[in-house]
Amino acid sequence: MTVSREIPVATSSPYTVTVGQDLLPDVAASVPESAARVLVVSAAPLRSQVDALHRLLEERGLTVVVAEVPDAEAGKTAEVLAFCWQVLGKSDFTRSDIVIGLGGGAVTDLAGFVAATWLRGVGVIQVPTTLLAMVDAAVGGKTGINTTEGKNLVGAFHEPLSVWCDTRVLDALPRHDIVAGLAEVVKCGFIKDEEILRIVEDNLALLRADDAQTGSRADGHGSTAGLDEEARTVLTELIGRAVQVKADVVAADLKESFLREILNYGHTFGHAIEYTERYQWRHGAAVSVGMVFAAELAHLAGRLSEDEVERHRAILSGLGLPVSYPGHRWDALLTAMRRDKKTRGDLLRFVILAGIGNPVRLEGPDPALVQAAYAAISDHSPA
């Protein structure tokens, strides 16, 4: 039996991230006594989990309303946000009532933004159901939706009351999604906790999926994880370590000065891929390529050794994640990068490494260096 691990996030409004198994009863028990109503935001594939949580909440005497939203990034739109507001308004939600986000990163982003904007802020409890959401989207208080101009350009910082990472739900995920989520775990290893990298390197065969190389596309299919105890134990350790990295960073910097920006390692180029691909790539796959791009840029800038760049490629490709991107899309990618939240005016800014565990900011690099880094990760094949 796996013992739950509790990771405190010591922000101005402290909360705890719990990593364990079979946590839905704890989720229901964590709803504040002051609440009379709960809005559960989720997507159709999780209907059985929503029904189970619905019963547990009703047993506490709470009025439960469910907002079923489109799955994945299709749910992070202004239209879906307005739908959730309408549900809240028709159900007479007050400032003491709460929102629960049960789903992947898109659902937790949306639910957090719904909570941040209703009556200028109500409580939110996050129940991430993907590895990516557990280690990234659900922790840290960043919420938002996408627009036609880019990803997460509209949002708010709104810290949750608690976060519950139930590793048993990972059994239902396609192995592609497990592997994609591991990209954010590996990111935490590169920026702060090298032990994560060593654990991954020692368990590549256990963690990767045999068909994961085809898993960049968000609409790809694959077998479900069906984790054995050894894999679950390794993943639980990695989730705990990755959450700890994020907890340490956001506790010191909630609203994204440079310290918080280190969590975006690989994301400037990764988000550009997502935008260029119209969000048809998995986030983790795009970030994987983005980290290799950032490593190549750091090497060209004299900050990272060739061996350290190769370690990026070895770990990420060893998991089955992509490490290259077609070489004929530079103009579209550059336009997308100029929309990145870290950009100031026309000045591109990147998080790079000056050695493993030492992230630094690279502002306004020579355009020739940026294009050379792109050339280094280009495969010149159709997407």
Side-chain angles (χ1 to χ4, degrees):
M1 181 176 177
T2 303
V3 177
S4 295
R5 175 178 176 181
E6 295 186 351
I7 302 164
V9 185
T11 59
S12 57
S13 300
Y15 58 96
T16 298
V17 180
T18 302
V19 182
Q21 295 180 29
D22 304 316
L23 298 177
L24 280 187
D26 300 288
V27 175
S30 72
V31 174
E33 292 289 340
S34 58
R37 301 169 189 81
V38 176
L39 174 70
V40 179
V41 180
S42 192
L46 294 168
R47 197 168 292 159
S48 62
Q49 292 180 54
V50 172
D51 290 344
L53 181 58
H54 194 300
R55 289 191 296 270
L56 290 165
L57 292 168
E58 285 191 329
E59 287 172 6
R60 284 202 51 198
L62 292 157
T63 298
V64 183
V65 180
V66 176
E68 190 172 284
V69 300
D71 200 14
E73 297 295 324
K76 286 179 60 175
T77 67
E79 292 77 15
V80 176
L81 175 67
F83 161 71
C84 292
W85 286 336
Q86 185 179 49
V87 171
L88 289 168
K90 289 184 175 180
S91 303
D92 298 321
F93 269 64
T94 69
R95 191 165 284 169
S96 61
D97 298 322
I98 72 157
V99 175
I100 294 179
L102 192 157
V107 165
T108 59
D109 278 356
L110 172 69
F113 195 41
V114 169
T117 50
W118 185 252
L119 298 177
R120 298 186 178 91
V122 299
V124 62
I125 293 172
Q126 300 286 23
V127 188
T129 59
T130 66
L131 179 57
L132 179 62
M134 289 177 187
V135 300
D136 184 37
V139 180
K142 286 174 72 173
T143 73
I145 58 171
N146 303 330
T147 66
T148 55
E149 288 72 35
K151 186 172 181 178
N152 295 329
L153 294 180
V154 176
F157 290 97
H158 190 63
E159 296 171 82
L161 300 175
S162 58
V163 180
W164 302 86
C165 303
D166 191 334
T167 58
R168 195 173 294 281
V169 304
L170 299 178
D171 283 348
L173 290 184
R175 288 305 294 256
H176 292 331
D177 288 339
I178 296 285
V179 170
L182 283 169
E184 290 284 356
V185 174
V186 170
K187 176 203 73 179
C188 291
F190 279 125
I191 64 173
K192 199 170 189 290
D193 181 4
E194 193 173 0
E195 183 61 22
I196 288 175
L197 303 182
R198 287 189 279 267
I199 292 171
V200 172
E201 287 167 328
D202 289 344
N203 292 280
L204 284 174
L206 184 69
L207 294 170
R208 68 166 285 133
D210 290 339
D211 57 351
Q213 286 286 7
T214 63
S216 59
R217 293 273 173 193
D219 56 356
H221 299 287
S223 60
T224 54
L227 301 171
D228 59 26
E229 278 307 308
E230 185 181 7
R232 192 188 306 284
T233 298
V234 172
L235 277 174
T236 299
E237 174 68 14
L238 289 172
I239 291 167
R241 283 185 171 274
V243 170
Q244 188 67 65
V245 168
K246 189 158 191 181
D248 291 344
V249 170
V250 301
D253 176 18
L254 175 64
K255 295 194 175 180
E256 208 162 65
S257 64
F258 176 64
L259 180 57
R260 174 108 187 204
E261 281 186 4
I262 71 173
L263 295 171
N264 288 324
Y265 182 59
H267 283 57
T268 298
F269 193 81
H271 281 164
I273 289 175
E274 288 182 283
Y275 182 82
T276 301
E277 295 289 340
R278 299 182 181 181
Y279 304 109
Q280 294 304 299
W281 268 48
R282 286 180 172 84
H283 175 72
V287 168
S288 175
V289 179
M291 284 190 281
V292 179
F293 170 85
E296 289 286 1
L297 183 59
H299 177 57
L300 290 166
R303 310 302 293 272
L304 204 60
S305 72
E306 189 172 339
D307 286 346
E308 289 167 322
V309 177
E310 183 52 36
R311 193 179 188 189
H312 281 68
R313 281 197 170 85
I315 291 173
L316 294 166
S317 63
L319 287 170
L321 286 160
V323 294
S324 63
Y325 188 73
H328 54 277
R329 299 194 174 178
W330 176 241
D331 289 343
L333 291 166
L334 184 59
T335 298
M337 284 193 287
R338 293 196 185 282
R339 292 191 174 97
D340 187 82
K341 296 186 293 296
K342 292 182 295 302
T343 298
R344 299 294 184 269
D346 287 331
L347 189 70
L348 288 176
R349 303 197 309 172
F350 297 92
V351 176
I352 63 169
L353 300 181
I356 304 299
N358 184 24
V360 296
R361 181 188 288 148
L362 181 64
E363 292 191 343
D366 185 331
L369 285 186
V370 180
Q371 193 159 2
Y374 175 54
I377 60 97
S378 297
D379 66 7
H380 301 287
S381 65

